[in-house]
Amino acid sequence: LVSYLDSEEATTTVRMSNLGVKYPKIKPYNDITVEKVFKFIEGLCLYKEVKNIIDIPSIVVWDSVANTLSQKEREVEDISYALAYKARLLSLLIPKYVSKLAIYNICLICVNQLRDSIQIGPYQKPKEMKFMSEGKTVPGGNTLKFNAFHFLEMRVKGSLSADKLYGFDGIACEVHCVKNKLFPPNIKVLILGDFVRGFSNFWTNYSFLVSNKRIDSGAWNKIVNDPKQIKFRTKDAFNLYNTDLYFKEMFDAETKDTIKKELIEKNNPE
């Protein structure tokens, strides 16, 4: 069970289908308020209980927290009566539902924006979360930061051009967990995204292998530990991965081994 609550009305069923969300296709629900988000979660919990499917994982995507008004903010004529109301409302609702989400096996993904943290005075106050970008915060108050199981920050690091390297127009994003309950935080990973097809697991892994010297890149590339030393051009790598079973197995094995040695073993205590 997956639901997409889209207060920004920034996507469509067709666009999501192009990005791979089509088994089944999802129609975003647009008319939302903060209160409706949590009423929706309440209804999902009841539905899972009635259908006896509590153990089946479910996802609710809330896009975005910053753009979703409360019912009071929608109706009030003088905005001064609603200042900071959403933050107070979230500080009540999120802690209330954290345990319920866990009990009913529901993952709530809240999409938000980074904003400048406005500070007045000669001295800069300490950051609320150590690994967040300097001078940045998120709308919605502190409860979003402190009740998050994971707090993932994404920043665009550069653009990708169709006539260079990867063969598509897109972006490179640096991603790190400001807060991570399953693994040490602040381990930065570069992920690559295509403007047409979305973020690519293959090209992200390819970039990861190159940066860790597991792929010798140049005009012709090769996997360093490949006994056959298959050579390929960068733009042909994805097609080779999908058509050559040996190359696919070699590529996947190198990816898993590099993740194990460069991320897991280096960042976990013995």
Side-chain angles (χ1 to χ4, degrees), residues 15 18-20 152 154-158 160 168-175 189-205 238:
R15 178 63 178 147
N18 290 339
L19 295 171
L152 194 73
M154 300 175 66
R155 296 181 72 86
V156 176
K157 297 299 287 184
L160 306 175
F168 58 83
D169 292 316
I171 54 171
C173 278
E174 187 180 77
V175 180
V189 177
L190 199 69
I191 64 173
L192 305 185
D194 182 340
F195 287 142
V196 177
R197 296 179 177 84
F199 285 107
S200 167
N201 194 51
F202 173 81
W203 288 115
T204 295
N205 289 340
F238 187 54

Side-chain angles (χ1 to χ4, degrees), residues 6 13 19 42 74 77 85 89 96 103 106 148-149 209-210 228 245:
D6 181 23
T13 300
L19 295 171
E42 193 71 49
R74 271 192 176 187
E77 293 183 7
Y85 177 75
L89 184 62
K96 178 181 177 182
I103 292 168
I106 299 171
F149 192 87
L209 291 175
V210 170
K228 293 186 177 181
L245 182 59

Side-chain angles (χ1 to χ4, degrees), residues 82-94:
L83 287 176
Y85 177 75
K86 181 165 76 173
R88 298 200 308 273
L89 184 62
L90 288 173
S91 69
L92 172 68
L93 291 173
I94 288 180

